[in-house]
Amino acid sequence: MNAHQTILEADYAVIGLGAMGASILHRLARSGGKVVGIDKYNPPHRHGASHGGHKVTREAVAEGPAYLRFVQRSNELLCELERRYNVELMQRIGTLIIGSEVATSSDSFLHATVQLAQANEIEHQVLSSKDLKRLYPQLTGVTDGEAGYFEPRAGSIRPEPLLSLQIALAKQAGAEILINTAVTRITSFAGGVQIEADGLRLRAGQVAVAAGRWTDHLFNGRFADILSVTQQRTFTFKALDTLAYLPDRFPALMWFREGVGGECATVFPLERSGDGVKFFVADTEADMRGSMSGNQFYHHHIQPYFGGISRDLLHSEICAYTSTPDKGFLLDWHPDIPGLFLVSACSGHGFKHALGIGETIAALFVGNSIPDLSAFSLKQSEGRPSR
Ligand SMILES: Cc1cc2nc3c(=O)[nH]c(=O)nc-3n(C[C@H](O)[C@H](O)[C@H](O)COP(=O)(O)OP(=O)(O)OC[C@H]3O[C@@H](n4cnc5c(N)ncnc54)[C@H](O)[C@@H]3O)c2cc1C
């Protein structure tokens, strides 16, 4: 052992303090045990997935009923944090989903959303193509064959303040936070899990790994078949018609557009009139075999669909998807290291569930009852077909 190595002991540790890790840390810190949180950067930061100013949330999660309890609990916990600390962590501007009126495989998302909302009495409105054209004239590409789902109590979560608040609260509750500390090795010992980082050795009874796109790297490719990482890019353009894109006229939007094979454009309104409108279409970076230019994105994804947006690209940002083959979540114990729990809840739709997941994993560690997680097990991830 290195003579200058710091040796720490804890009941619980969390590796990675993005959306998932920060939520787990915050909940564990309230448990009374000794808790350590470790991150290789200083979160919130721009290197992982939990940044970018906005993340869409919706209660009717078309990804499947197994996700519903996480998002519903996350919404409750978010409201609790906002009330208790007098902060705004979410823009409640509603979420609008547009897709083909007739269900086909590429746009069944809209139909699955409506069905889930109906089955679970989630407040929503179904909009015809005529309604969409009247209510959102800035969506110039809406066709007669499209319909919409509007969820008024949904909208956009603010990732950076949420992460900062949870990490600060964990610290206040006694958690030790180690930033700019990269974990290099995780092994088991008789009493739990041993973590090695630069100049540090930490032994903890139970450990959650929420390392996002670096998860597989931490285990030397052990989960390469299950976790794949893709670079994603967002584009923020100047609005010419600023009024049309302010939050009172424009909700958080997911539009599965017919003209481009059902590809979804996610769009966020302006914060203030001087800001830009942020657009995201999954895998555009890969489509262009390199860095898609703002001009190409504008021609393909904006000009045919959105009025009142200038060609001026104000900002473009990279973010990483960590996806399982069927775009589900992985929440399970490591098969070979007792006490080590894997949290890879991303696949492009994890943020809205993070608070509920954090609470569940913390409850699991302290021995409280938790909902069945078998839908997110390693075995399920291995066996599920690609989507
Ligand atoms: C472009 C884009 C748009 C998205 N939009 C939405 C949306 O609208 N709605 C939604 O619900 N979800 C959305 N998502 C998904 C959501 O952002 C992710 O599910 C979520 O942020 C994942 O959080 P995480 O904590 O798992 O990973 P990350 O945020 O990547 O955090 C991982 C952390 O681990 C740390 N780390 C890694 N390796 C080590 C190590 N060796 N030692 C110490 N620390 C380490 C990193 O520094 C990082 O802080 C989107 C994702 C992207 C990329």
Short mmCIF file of all heavy atoms in Angstrom, two decimals, residues 262-324:
data_model
loop_
_atom_site.label_atom_id
_atom_site.label_comp_id
_atom_site.label_asym_id
_atom_site.label_seq_id
_atom_site.Cartn_x
_atom_site.Cartn_y
_atom_site.Cartn_z
N GLY A 262 -40.59 9.70 -38.45
CA GLY A 262 -40.99 9.62 -37.05
C GLY A 262 -39.90 10.05 -36.08
O GLY A 262 -40.07 9.93 -34.87
N GLU A 263 -38.78 10.60 -36.58
CA GLU A 263 -37.71 11.08 -35.67
C GLU A 263 -38.26 12.15 -34.75
O GLU A 263 -38.99 13.04 -35.19
CB GLU A 263 -36.59 11.72 -36.50
CG GLU A 263 -35.46 10.78 -36.85
CD GLU A 263 -34.36 11.54 -37.58
OE1 GLU A 263 -34.68 12.31 -38.51
OE2 GLU A 263 -33.22 11.36 -37.23
N CYS A 264 -37.83 12.11 -33.49
CA CYS A 264 -38.38 13.06 -32.51
C CYS A 264 -37.49 14.29 -32.37
O CYS A 264 -36.29 14.16 -32.15
CB CYS A 264 -38.51 12.37 -31.16
SG CYS A 264 -39.15 13.47 -29.88
N ALA A 265 -38.10 15.46 -32.48
CA ALA A 265 -37.39 16.71 -32.14
C ALA A 265 -37.88 17.13 -30.76
O ALA A 265 -39.08 17.25 -30.54
CB ALA A 265 -37.70 17.80 -33.16
N THR A 266 -36.94 17.31 -29.83
CA THR A 266 -37.29 17.84 -28.51
C THR A 266 -36.91 19.31 -28.50
O THR A 266 -35.80 19.66 -28.90
CB THR A 266 -36.51 17.08 -27.41
OG1 THR A 266 -36.84 15.70 -27.51
CG2 THR A 266 -36.88 17.57 -26.03
N VAL A 267 -37.84 20.15 -28.08
CA VAL A 267 -37.62 21.60 -28.17
C VAL A 267 -38.04 22.26 -26.86
O VAL A 267 -39.06 21.89 -26.27
CB VAL A 267 -38.42 22.22 -29.35
CG1 VAL A 267 -37.98 23.65 -29.62
CG2 VAL A 267 -38.28 21.38 -30.61
N PHE A 268 -37.23 23.23 -26.42
CA PHE A 268 -37.55 23.97 -25.19
C PHE A 268 -37.78 25.43 -25.52
O PHE A 268 -37.11 25.99 -26.41
CB PHE A 268 -36.38 23.87 -24.20
CG PHE A 268 -36.12 22.46 -23.76
CD1 PHE A 268 -35.19 21.67 -24.41
CD2 PHE A 268 -36.83 21.91 -22.70
CE1 PHE A 268 -34.95 20.37 -24.01
CE2 PHE A 268 -36.61 20.61 -22.29
CZ PHE A 268 -35.67 19.84 -22.95
N PRO A 269 -38.68 26.10 -24.80
CA PRO A 269 -38.96 27.51 -25.11
C PRO A 269 -37.81 28.42 -24.68
O PRO A 269 -36.86 27.97 -24.03
CB PRO A 269 -40.21 27.80 -24.25
CG PRO A 269 -40.15 26.85 -23.13
CD PRO A 269 -39.48 25.61 -23.68
N LEU A 270 -37.92 29.68 -25.03
CA LEU A 270 -36.97 30.69 -24.58
C LEU A 270 -37.13 30.87 -23.07
O LEU A 270 -38.24 30.77 -22.55
CB LEU A 270 -37.30 32.04 -25.21
CG LEU A 270 -37.20 32.17 -26.72
CD1 LEU A 270 -37.90 33.46 -27.16
CD2 LEU A 270 -35.74 32.22 -27.11
N GLU A 271 -36.03 31.13 -22.40
CA GLU A 271 -36.13 31.49 -20.98
C GLU A 271 -36.60 32.95 -20.90
O GLU A 271 -37.54 33.28 -20.22
CB GLU A 271 -34.75 31.42 -20.31
CG GLU A 271 -34.30 30.02 -19.98
CD GLU A 271 -34.84 29.53 -18.65
OE1 GLU A 271 -34.98 30.34 -17.71
OE2 GLU A 271 -35.11 28.33 -18.55
N ARG A 272 -35.87 33.81 -21.63
CA ARG A 272 -36.19 35.23 -21.73
C ARG A 272 -36.09 35.61 -23.20
O ARG A 272 -35.48 34.87 -23.98
CB ARG A 272 -35.19 36.07 -20.92
CG ARG A 272 -35.29 35.88 -19.43
CD ARG A 272 -34.07 36.46 -18.74
NE ARG A 272 -32.88 35.71 -19.11
CZ ARG A 272 -32.46 34.65 -18.44
NH1 ARG A 272 -33.10 34.24 -17.38
NH2 ARG A 272 -31.38 33.98 -18.83
N SER A 273 -36.57 36.79 -23.57
CA SER A 273 -36.63 37.10 -25.00
C SER A 273 -35.25 37.14 -25.66
O SER A 273 -35.13 36.90 -26.84
CB SER A 273 -37.41 38.37 -25.26
OG SER A 273 -37.01 39.35 -24.39
N GLY A 274 -34.17 37.41 -24.94
CA GLY A 274 -32.84 37.47 -25.57
C GLY A 274 -32.21 36.10 -25.80
O GLY A 274 -31.22 36.00 -26.51
N ASP A 275 -32.75 35.07 -25.19
CA ASP A 275 -32.12 33.75 -25.27
C ASP A 275 -32.50 33.02 -26.56
O ASP A 275 -33.27 33.51 -27.36
CB ASP A 275 -32.54 32.88 -24.07
CG ASP A 275 -32.07 33.48 -22.77
OD1 ASP A 275 -31.16 34.31 -22.81
OD2 ASP A 275 -32.63 33.13 -21.73
N GLY A 276 -32.01 31.79 -26.71
CA GLY A 276 -32.32 31.01 -27.90
C GLY A 276 -33.29 29.88 -27.62
O GLY A 276 -33.60 29.59 -26.47
N VAL A 277 -33.76 29.26 -28.71
CA VAL A 277 -34.65 28.10 -28.60
C VAL A 277 -33.78 26.86 -28.80
O VAL A 277 -33.04 26.76 -29.78
CB VAL A 277 -35.76 28.16 -29.68
CG1 VAL A 277 -36.69 26.96 -29.56
CG2 VAL A 277 -36.55 29.46 -29.55
N LYS A 278 -33.89 25.92 -27.84
CA LYS A 278 -32.99 24.76 -27.87
C LYS A 278 -33.67 23.56 -28.53
O LYS A 278 -34.79 23.21 -28.18
CB LYS A 278 -32.58 24.42 -26.45
CG LYS A 278 -31.60 23.28 -26.35
CD LYS A 278 -31.07 23.18 -24.93
CE LYS A 278 -30.93 21.75 -24.50
NZ LYS A 278 -30.53 21.63 -23.12
N PHE A 279 -32.98 22.95 -29.51
CA PHE A 279 -33.51 21.80 -30.27
C PHE A 279 -32.60 20.60 -30.06
O PHE A 279 -31.37 20.74 -30.01
CB PHE A 279 -33.52 22.10 -31.77
CG PHE A 279 -34.44 23.22 -32.17
CD1 PHE A 279 -34.04 24.54 -32.07
CD2 PHE A 279 -35.71 22.94 -32.66
CE1 PHE A 279 -34.89 25.57 -32.45
CE2 PHE A 279 -36.57 23.95 -33.04
CZ PHE A 279 -36.16 25.28 -32.93
N PHE A 280 -33.22 19.43 -29.99
CA PHE A 280 -32.43 18.20 -29.89
C PHE A 280 -33.11 17.10 -30.69
O PHE A 280 -34.31 16.87 -30.56
CB PHE A 280 -32.32 17.78 -28.41
CG PHE A 280 -31.74 16.41 -28.24
CD1 PHE A 280 -30.44 16.13 -28.64
CD2 PHE A 280 -32.50 15.38 -27.72
CE1 PHE A 280 -29.91 14.86 -28.53
CE2 PHE A 280 -31.99 14.10 -27.60
CZ PHE A 280 -30.68 13.84 -28.01
N VAL A 281 -32.33 16.44 -31.56
CA VAL A 281 -32.82 15.26 -32.28
C VAL A 281 -31.79 14.17 -32.05
O VAL A 281 -30.60 14.37 -32.36
CB VAL A 281 -32.97 15.54 -33.80
CG1 VAL A 281 -33.42 14.28 -34.53
CG2 VAL A 281 -33.97 16.67 -34.05
N ALA A 282 -32.20 13.04 -31.49
CA ALA A 282 -31.24 11.99 -31.14
C ALA A 282 -30.45 11.51 -32.35
O ALA A 282 -31.00 11.39 -33.45
CB ALA A 282 -31.95 10.81 -30.49
N ASP A 283 -29.17 11.28 -32.14
CA ASP A 283 -28.27 10.66 -33.12
C ASP A 283 -27.95 11.50 -34.34
O ASP A 283 -27.46 10.98 -35.33
CB ASP A 283 -28.78 9.27 -33.54
CG ASP A 283 -28.87 8.33 -32.36
OD1 ASP A 283 -28.05 8.51 -31.43
OD2 ASP A 283 -29.73 7.45 -32.34
N THR A 284 -28.21 12.79 -34.31
CA THR A 284 -27.84 13.62 -35.46
C THR A 284 -26.33 13.67 -35.60
O THR A 284 -25.80 13.75 -36.70
CB THR A 284 -28.37 15.07 -35.33
OG1 THR A 284 -28.14 15.50 -34.01
CG2 THR A 284 -29.82 15.15 -35.66
N GLU A 285 -25.63 13.62 -34.47
CA GLU A 285 -24.16 13.63 -34.50
C GLU A 285 -23.66 12.42 -35.30
O GLU A 285 -22.81 12.54 -36.17
CB GLU A 285 -23.65 13.57 -33.05
CG GLU A 285 -22.16 13.68 -32.92
CD GLU A 285 -21.67 15.11 -32.80
OE1 GLU A 285 -22.44 16.03 -33.11
OE2 GLU A 285 -20.50 15.28 -32.43
N ALA A 286 -24.22 11.25 -34.99
CA ALA A 286 -23.79 10.03 -35.68
C ALA A 286 -24.22 10.07 -37.15
O ALA A 286 -23.47 9.67 -38.03
CB ALA A 286 -24.39 8.82 -35.00
N ASP A 287 -25.43 10.58 -37.42
CA ASP A 287 -25.94 10.65 -38.79
C ASP A 287 -24.96 11.35 -39.71
O ASP A 287 -24.79 10.98 -40.86
CB ASP A 287 -27.23 11.49 -38.86
CG ASP A 287 -28.42 10.73 -38.35
OD1 ASP A 287 -28.26 9.53 -38.09
OD2 ASP A 287 -29.49 11.34 -38.19
N MET A 288 -24.36 12.38 -39.21
CA MET A 288 -23.49 13.19 -40.05
C MET A 288 -22.05 12.70 -40.02
O MET A 288 -21.17 13.35 -40.57
CB MET A 288 -23.55 14.66 -39.58
CG MET A 288 -24.92 15.27 -39.64
SD MET A 288 -25.74 15.00 -41.24
CE MET A 288 -24.72 16.00 -42.29
N ARG A 289 -21.83 11.54 -39.37
CA ARG A 289 -20.46 11.00 -39.25
C ARG A 289 -19.49 12.08 -38.82
O ARG A 289 -18.50 12.37 -39.47
CB ARG A 289 -20.00 10.40 -40.57
CG ARG A 289 -20.88 9.28 -40.97
CD ARG A 289 -20.09 8.19 -41.59
NE ARG A 289 -21.03 7.10 -41.84
CZ ARG A 289 -21.33 6.69 -43.03
NH1 ARG A 289 -20.76 7.18 -44.05
NH2 ARG A 289 -22.19 5.71 -43.18
N GLY A 290 -19.78 12.67 -37.72
CA GLY A 290 -18.90 13.72 -37.22
C GLY A 290 -19.76 14.80 -36.66
O GLY A 290 -20.85 14.54 -36.18
N SER A 291 -19.31 15.99 -36.74
CA SER A 291 -20.04 17.07 -36.12
C SER A 291 -21.03 17.68 -37.11
O SER A 291 -20.65 18.28 -38.11
CB SER A 291 -19.03 18.10 -35.67
OG SER A 291 -19.68 19.18 -35.11
N MET A 292 -22.33 17.50 -36.84
CA MET A 292 -23.34 18.07 -37.75
C MET A 292 -23.29 19.58 -37.65
O MET A 292 -23.27 20.12 -36.56
CB MET A 292 -24.71 17.56 -37.34
CG MET A 292 -25.78 17.93 -38.34
SD MET A 292 -27.37 17.29 -37.82
CE MET A 292 -28.20 17.11 -39.36
N SER A 293 -23.27 20.26 -38.77
CA SER A 293 -23.18 21.71 -38.69
C SER A 293 -24.55 22.29 -38.38
O SER A 293 -25.59 21.68 -38.67
CB SER A 293 -22.66 22.28 -40.00
OG SER A 293 -23.68 22.24 -40.96
N GLY A 294 -24.54 23.47 -37.82
CA GLY A 294 -25.78 24.16 -37.48
C GLY A 294 -26.64 24.37 -38.71
O GLY A 294 -27.86 24.24 -38.68
N ASN A 295 -25.99 24.68 -39.85
CA ASN A 295 -26.70 24.93 -41.10
C ASN A 295 -27.47 23.71 -41.57
O ASN A 295 -28.63 23.79 -41.97
CB ASN A 295 -25.67 25.27 -42.18
CG ASN A 295 -25.92 26.65 -42.71
OD1 ASN A 295 -27.00 27.19 -42.51
ND2 ASN A 295 -24.92 27.20 -43.38
N GLN A 296 -26.79 22.54 -41.52
CA GLN A 296 -27.43 21.29 -41.94
C GLN A 296 -28.61 20.96 -41.02
O GLN A 296 -29.67 20.54 -41.47
CB GLN A 296 -26.41 20.15 -41.91
CG GLN A 296 -25.40 20.25 -43.02
CD GLN A 296 -24.21 19.37 -42.74
OE1 GLN A 296 -23.66 19.37 -41.65
NE2 GLN A 296 -23.81 18.61 -43.73
N PHE A 297 -28.39 21.15 -39.73
CA PHE A 297 -29.46 20.86 -38.77
C PHE A 297 -30.66 21.77 -39.05
O PHE A 297 -31.81 21.33 -39.06
CB PHE A 297 -28.95 21.06 -37.33
CG PHE A 297 -29.93 20.63 -36.28
CD1 PHE A 297 -29.94 19.33 -35.82
CD2 PHE A 297 -30.86 21.52 -35.76
CE1 PHE A 297 -30.85 18.91 -34.85
CE2 PHE A 297 -31.78 21.12 -34.80
CZ PHE A 297 -31.77 19.80 -34.34
N TYR A 298 -30.37 23.04 -39.31
CA TYR A 298 -31.44 24.02 -39.56
C TYR A 298 -32.27 23.61 -40.79
O TYR A 298 -33.51 23.59 -40.75
CB TYR A 298 -30.83 25.41 -39.78
CG TYR A 298 -31.87 26.49 -39.93
CD1 TYR A 298 -32.38 27.15 -38.81
CD2 TYR A 298 -32.37 26.83 -41.18
CE1 TYR A 298 -33.35 28.13 -38.94
CE2 TYR A 298 -33.36 27.80 -41.32
CZ TYR A 298 -33.83 28.45 -40.20
OH TYR A 298 -34.82 29.40 -40.32
N HIS A 299 -31.59 23.24 -41.88
CA HIS A 299 -32.29 22.88 -43.11
C HIS A 299 -33.13 21.62 -42.96
O HIS A 299 -34.23 21.53 -43.49
CB HIS A 299 -31.30 22.70 -44.26
CG HIS A 299 -30.90 24.02 -44.82
ND1 HIS A 299 -31.76 24.83 -45.51
CD2 HIS A 299 -29.73 24.69 -44.74
CE1 HIS A 299 -31.16 25.95 -45.83
NE2 HIS A 299 -29.92 25.89 -45.39
N HIS A 300 -32.60 20.67 -42.23
CA HIS A 300 -33.26 19.37 -42.14
C HIS A 300 -34.35 19.36 -41.06
O HIS A 300 -35.44 18.80 -41.26
CB HIS A 300 -32.18 18.34 -41.79
CG HIS A 300 -32.58 16.94 -42.05
ND1 HIS A 300 -32.91 16.47 -43.30
CD2 HIS A 300 -32.71 15.87 -41.21
CE1 HIS A 300 -33.23 15.20 -43.23
NE2 HIS A 300 -33.12 14.81 -41.98
N HIS A 301 -34.07 19.96 -39.93
CA HIS A 301 -34.95 19.78 -38.77
C HIS A 301 -35.74 21.02 -38.35
O HIS A 301 -36.68 20.91 -37.58
CB HIS A 301 -34.14 19.29 -37.56
CG HIS A 301 -33.61 17.90 -37.75
ND1 HIS A 301 -34.44 16.79 -37.79
CD2 HIS A 301 -32.35 17.44 -37.91
CE1 HIS A 301 -33.70 15.70 -37.97
NE2 HIS A 301 -32.44 16.07 -38.05
N ILE A 302 -35.35 22.20 -38.82
CA ILE A 302 -36.05 23.40 -38.34
C ILE A 302 -36.87 24.06 -39.44
O ILE A 302 -38.08 24.23 -39.30
CB ILE A 302 -35.04 24.39 -37.71
CG1 ILE A 302 -34.38 23.70 -36.51
CG2 ILE A 302 -35.77 25.67 -37.27
CD1 ILE A 302 -33.44 24.55 -35.73
N GLN A 303 -36.22 24.39 -40.53
CA GLN A 303 -36.92 25.13 -41.60
C GLN A 303 -38.26 24.50 -42.00
O GLN A 303 -39.26 25.22 -42.11
CB GLN A 303 -36.00 25.26 -42.81
CG GLN A 303 -36.43 26.38 -43.73
CD GLN A 303 -35.34 26.61 -44.77
OE1 GLN A 303 -34.71 25.66 -45.25
NE2 GLN A 303 -35.13 27.85 -45.11
N PRO A 304 -38.35 23.18 -42.20
CA PRO A 304 -39.64 22.62 -42.65
C PRO A 304 -40.71 22.56 -41.55
O PRO A 304 -41.86 22.27 -41.84
CB PRO A 304 -39.29 21.18 -43.08
CG PRO A 304 -37.80 21.09 -43.07
CD PRO A 304 -37.30 22.14 -42.15
N TYR A 305 -40.34 22.80 -40.32
CA TYR A 305 -41.28 22.53 -39.22
C TYR A 305 -41.59 23.73 -38.31
O TYR A 305 -42.66 23.78 -37.71
CB TYR A 305 -40.72 21.41 -38.32
CG TYR A 305 -40.50 20.14 -39.09
CD1 TYR A 305 -39.23 19.78 -39.54
CD2 TYR A 305 -41.57 19.30 -39.39
CE1 TYR A 305 -39.04 18.62 -40.28
CE2 TYR A 305 -41.38 18.14 -40.13
CZ TYR A 305 -40.12 17.81 -40.56
OH TYR A 305 -39.94 16.67 -41.29
N PHE A 306 -40.63 24.65 -38.16
CA PHE A 306 -40.79 25.72 -37.17
C PHE A 306 -40.67 27.09 -37.83
O PHE A 306 -39.69 27.35 -38.53
CB PHE A 306 -39.71 25.62 -36.08
CG PHE A 306 -39.74 24.32 -35.32
CD1 PHE A 306 -39.03 23.21 -35.76
CD2 PHE A 306 -40.50 24.20 -34.16
CE1 PHE A 306 -39.07 22.01 -35.06
CE2 PHE A 306 -40.54 23.00 -33.45
CZ PHE A 306 -39.82 21.90 -33.91
N GLY A 307 -41.67 27.95 -37.61
CA GLY A 307 -41.60 29.32 -38.13
C GLY A 307 -40.98 30.23 -37.08
O GLY A 307 -40.98 29.93 -35.88
N GLY A 308 -40.41 31.37 -37.54
CA GLY A 308 -39.92 32.38 -36.61
C GLY A 308 -38.62 32.04 -35.91
O GLY A 308 -38.33 32.56 -34.83
N ILE A 309 -37.82 31.13 -36.52
CA ILE A 309 -36.51 30.80 -35.94
C ILE A 309 -35.43 31.24 -36.94
O ILE A 309 -35.51 30.91 -38.13
CB ILE A 309 -36.37 29.27 -35.70
CG1 ILE A 309 -37.45 28.76 -34.74
CG2 ILE A 309 -34.96 28.90 -35.21
CD1 ILE A 309 -37.25 29.13 -33.29
N SER A 310 -34.45 31.97 -36.45
CA SER A 310 -33.38 32.45 -37.32
C SER A 310 -32.35 31.35 -37.58
O SER A 310 -32.28 30.37 -36.85
CB SER A 310 -32.73 33.66 -36.64
OG SER A 310 -31.37 33.66 -36.81
N ARG A 311 -31.54 31.53 -38.64
CA ARG A 311 -30.47 30.57 -38.93
C ARG A 311 -29.30 30.72 -37.98
O ARG A 311 -28.36 29.93 -38.02
CB ARG A 311 -29.91 30.82 -40.34
CG ARG A 311 -30.76 30.35 -41.43
CD ARG A 311 -30.30 30.96 -42.75
NE ARG A 311 -31.42 30.93 -43.65
CZ ARG A 311 -31.73 29.86 -44.39
NH1 ARG A 311 -30.98 28.80 -44.35
NH2 ARG A 311 -32.79 29.87 -45.15
N ASP A 312 -29.31 31.77 -37.17
CA ASP A 312 -28.15 32.04 -36.30
C ASP A 312 -28.07 31.02 -35.17
O ASP A 312 -28.92 30.99 -34.27
CB ASP A 312 -28.27 33.43 -35.65
CG ASP A 312 -28.17 34.53 -36.68
OD1 ASP A 312 -27.79 34.22 -37.83
OD2 ASP A 312 -28.48 35.68 -36.33
N LEU A 313 -27.03 30.20 -35.26
CA LEU A 313 -26.80 29.22 -34.20
C LEU A 313 -26.09 29.94 -33.05
O LEU A 313 -25.00 30.47 -33.21
CB LEU A 313 -25.92 28.08 -34.73
CG LEU A 313 -25.58 26.98 -33.74
CD1 LEU A 313 -26.83 26.21 -33.33
CD2 LEU A 313 -24.56 26.00 -34.32
N LEU A 314 -26.76 29.94 -31.88
CA LEU A 314 -26.18 30.65 -30.74
C LEU A 314 -25.26 29.76 -29.94
O LEU A 314 -24.30 30.21 -29.34
CB LEU A 314 -27.30 31.16 -29.81
CG LEU A 314 -28.28 32.17 -30.40
CD1 LEU A 314 -29.33 32.53 -29.37
CD2 LEU A 314 -27.53 33.41 -30.85
N HIS A 315 -25.59 28.44 -29.96
CA HIS A 315 -24.91 27.58 -29.01
C HIS A 315 -25.13 26.12 -29.43
O HIS A 315 -26.19 25.78 -29.95
CB HIS A 315 -25.60 27.82 -27.65
CG HIS A 315 -24.96 27.17 -26.51
ND1 HIS A 315 -23.65 27.33 -26.17
CD2 HIS A 315 -25.46 26.30 -25.60
CE1 HIS A 315 -23.38 26.62 -25.11
NE2 HIS A 315 -24.46 25.98 -24.74
N SER A 316 -24.14 25.28 -29.21
CA SER A 316 -24.31 23.85 -29.49
C SER A 316 -23.53 23.09 -28.44
O SER A 316 -22.42 23.48 -28.08
CB SER A 316 -23.77 23.56 -30.89
OG SER A 316 -23.96 22.20 -31.19
N GLU A 317 -24.10 22.01 -27.96
CA GLU A 317 -23.49 21.35 -26.81
C GLU A 317 -23.55 19.83 -26.95
O GLU A 317 -24.52 19.28 -27.48
CB GLU A 317 -24.28 21.76 -25.56
CG GLU A 317 -23.59 21.44 -24.29
CD GLU A 317 -24.23 22.19 -23.11
OE1 GLU A 317 -25.48 22.24 -23.03
OE2 GLU A 317 -23.50 22.70 -22.28
N ILE A 318 -22.52 19.16 -26.46
CA ILE A 318 -22.45 17.69 -26.51
C ILE A 318 -22.92 17.11 -25.18
O ILE A 318 -22.68 17.68 -24.12
CB ILE A 318 -20.98 17.26 -26.78
CG1 ILE A 318 -20.57 17.63 -28.19
CG2 ILE A 318 -20.77 15.79 -26.52
CD1 ILE A 318 -20.97 16.66 -29.25
N CYS A 319 -23.57 15.96 -25.26
CA CYS A 319 -24.06 15.25 -24.08
C CYS A 319 -23.98 13.77 -24.44
O CYS A 319 -23.91 13.43 -25.63
CB CYS A 319 -25.50 15.69 -23.85
SG CYS A 319 -26.34 15.04 -22.41
N ALA A 320 -23.95 12.87 -23.48
CA ALA A 320 -23.80 11.44 -23.82
C ALA A 320 -25.00 10.62 -23.39
O ALA A 320 -25.50 10.76 -22.28
CB ALA A 320 -22.55 10.89 -23.14
N TYR A 321 -25.50 9.76 -24.30
CA TYR A 321 -26.51 8.77 -23.96
C TYR A 321 -25.78 7.49 -23.54
O TYR A 321 -24.85 7.06 -24.24
CB TYR A 321 -27.31 8.38 -25.21
CG TYR A 321 -28.56 9.16 -25.50
CD1 TYR A 321 -28.86 10.35 -24.86
CD2 TYR A 321 -29.45 8.68 -26.46
CE1 TYR A 321 -30.02 11.04 -25.18
CE2 TYR A 321 -30.61 9.38 -26.77
CZ TYR A 321 -30.87 10.55 -26.13
OH TYR A 321 -32.01 11.23 -26.45
N THR A 322 -26.21 6.86 -22.48
CA THR A 322 -25.69 5.54 -22.13
C THR A 322 -26.89 4.61 -22.22
O THR A 322 -27.81 4.70 -21.41
CB THR A 322 -25.14 5.52 -20.69
OG1 THR A 322 -24.23 6.61 -20.57
CG2 THR A 322 -24.44 4.22 -20.37
N SER A 323 -26.91 3.76 -23.25
CA SER A 323 -28.15 3.03 -23.53
C SER A 323 -28.00 1.52 -23.40
O SER A 323 -26.98 0.96 -23.78
CB SER A 323 -28.62 3.33 -24.96
OG SER A 323 -28.79 4.71 -25.13
N THR A 324 -29.04 0.88 -22.89
CA THR A 324 -29.12 -0.58 -22.92
C THR A 324 -29.75 -0.96 -24.27
O THR A 324 -30.32 -0.10 -24.95
CB THR A 324 -30.01 -1.09 -21.77
OG1 THR A 324 -31.32 -0.55 -21.95
CG2 THR A 324 -29.47 -0.69 -20.40
#
